[in-house]
Every structure is written in structure tokens, then in C-alpha cells.
Amino acid sequence: MRGENALLGAAGLAGFLALGEAAPRLGLVEEAYFPPTSRIAGALADELSDGAFWSALGDTLTGWALGLAIAVGAGIVAGVVLCVVPHLREATASTVEFLRPIPSVALIPLAVLLYGTELRSVLLLVVYASFWQVLIQVLYGVQDVDPVAEETARSYGLGPWARVRHVLWPSALPYVMTGVRLAASVALILAVTAELVIGAPGLGSRIAVAQTSQAVPEMYALIVVAGLLGLVINVGARTAERRALAWHQSVRGEVTV
């Protein structure tokens, strides 16, 4: 079944690339705005041989990785503390619900005002957007802890942090990994967006320069790179999730009778 799905996926991709090659050559779209696949592939090959491209890719990955690490760490710690400390979650619920819906792109003027086009501007946007993905999943995960297991741990005299380690964390881990996977994709989106709008060094900045200089094939080639990067990150996050939850029923495929 997997082999068949892979073949169908490859066939679909080949058809899409063929359509991208044929549409501008047949005059269905203007070649000036949508060049053939072969020209985009040639521009991509030129980018791969350019040292500046690899530097930009490194800048994007740096902003993504640092921002994601900060957001995951802060989201897990904040979520656990909010749930462990009595009444703290209720006291902060309105604040969380007020801040969470604010679009990260709305903070771009603030990021530019504070840090200009530095890496810290990218980190501000990435961390803010990714933090909520992790925090909300941690809160849901802690809420899903079996109260019987919690009371059993109390009856055995486990302290607060021992209960967090042995009861709360295993129960919340599937939710945490879902939050990390979502945050990884959101972090990449915000990193490229910040570079595109603010002009911070990275793939987004190169896309903006290619667009303003009418280098259309190069622009599409960089967009393809950003898409492939997102695919690799998503596959990597799913792989890490499966490995971290190898013991969990959802990964082992067991059915509770």
C-alpha cells in the first residue's frame, strides 16, 4: 500500500511539473509572470551554486531553530506552572485568551521599532506565534490527566514535582508533541514572513529582492526552496513525534478493548 501511494504521489508531482512547463509555453499564462518549470529548475540550480543562497538559508534556519527552541521551552514551563500552581490558571485565563488571538504579523511594527532588521526581530515574531501553539496543547494535556492516577500518586506521598514527572508529563506528552509539530511549521512561516516584510537576512529577504528586481524564475526557485524546507521540517517533526511516543497507543496502533 505504501509503495502504491508513493507511486501515485510521484505521478501527481510529475503531472504538476508537466503542467507548469506546458501552461506558459502554450500561452495559457504569461511567461513573464509564470515561467516554465525548466526555467525555474535552472534558476534553482544557479541558486544552489551561489554561496549567498546558503548564507541566507542558514540565517532562516537559525531564526527558525532559536525561535522554536525558546517557544517550546517557555510554552512547556509556563503550561506546567499554570496547571500546578493552585488557581493560577483561572487567574490568567482571560489574559491568555486576550493575547493568543493577536496575529504575530501585527507585531511587525513593534519588532522593527525595537530591533530593526536584526535577528531579534525575527525571534520576537517566531517566539510569539509558536509559544501559543505549545502552551495551549500543554494546558489541554494536563487537563486530560486521569484524576484517579493523580489521586493515587498523592496517596503514595509523591510531591508536586514527582507527580509532574511520573503522572502529568507522560499523560501530557502526546499533546506536547502535537504542539511542537504545529509550532515548527508556524515558526518557519513567521521566520520567512519576517524576512520578507522586515528585510532581515534570510530566504524571505532574497525572495523580496528577486521580486523587486523582476528576477521571476529566481523568485519561484526560492519559493520552491521554502516549500521544500517546510516539507522537511514537517516530516522531521512527525518522525520525532513517533519516536517520542513509541510507547503510546496512538503510535503502536493498539486498540483498547
Side-chain angles (χ1 to χ4, degrees):
M1 181 62 70
R2 285 187 177 181
E4 182 179 346
N5 290 338
L7 288 175
L8 290 174
L13 178 60
F16 177 77
L17 295 176
L19 179 62
E21 179 71 22
R25 296 193 182 279
L26 295 175
L28 300 178
V29 294
E30 292 191 38
E31 189 171 336
Y33 302 119
F34 191 88
T37 303
S38 57
R39 287 189 59 194
I40 297 175
L44 178 59
D46 292 338
E47 288 289 335
L48 295 177
S49 63
D50 187 356
F53 163 79
W54 294 104
S55 178
L57 179 61
D59 290 331
T60 297
L61 289 175
T62 298
W64 168 79
L66 287 177
L68 179 62
I70 295 171
V72 169
I76 292 175
V77 171
V80 172
V81 171
L82 287 178
C83 294
V84 170
V85 177
H87 309 299
L88 185 57
R89 181 172 181 180
E90 292 79 3
T92 58
S94 58
T95 303
V96 170
E97 291 304 318
F98 171 74
L99 294 175
R100 183 168 64 94
I102 297 177
S104 297
V105 291
L107 300 179
I108 288 178
L110 176 62
V112 174
L113 181 64
L114 292 176
Y115 305 119
T117 59
E118 297 179 10
L119 174 62
R120 289 181 292 179
S121 293
V122 177
L123 291 179
L124 174 63
L125 300 176
V126 170
V127 171
Y128 187 85
S130 304
F131 170 79
W132 301 111
Q133 306 294 327
V134 179
L135 176 65
I136 298 304
Q137 290 297 323
V138 172
L139 295 179
Y140 284 147
V142 174
Q143 187 178 3
D144 196 46
V145 172
D146 188 352
V148 175
E150 178 74 14
E151 290 302 321
T152 302
R154 289 179 185 274
S155 66
Y156 276 98
L158 271 66
W161 295 112
R163 293 198 301 273
V164 168
R165 177 182 177 184
H166 298 290
V167 179
L168 185 152
W169 180 250
S171 298
L173 186 58
Y175 293 86
V176 173
M177 294 307 300
T178 298
V180 172
R181 175 165 50 83
L182 295 174
S185 298
V186 170
L188 178 64
I189 293 171
L190 266 297
V192 175
T193 300
E195 296 162 356
L196 188 65
V197 177
I198 297 175
L203 288 177
S205 178
R206 285 182 69 86
I207 292 173
V209 170
Q211 187 268 330
T212 55
S213 61
Q214 299 299 312
V216 179
E218 288 75 9
M219 181 190 72
Y220 278 106
L222 292 167
I223 293 173
V224 168
V225 171
L228 292 175
L229 187 58
L231 177 63
V232 170
I233 287 174
N234 186 61
V235 171
R238 287 187 175 276
T239 302
E241 182 179 16
R242 287 195 296 268
R243 290 185 177 180
L245 300 175
W247 53 271
H248 196 264
Q249 176 180 332
S250 61
V251 173
R252 287 159 49 200
E254 295 178 355
V255 179
T256 303
V257 180

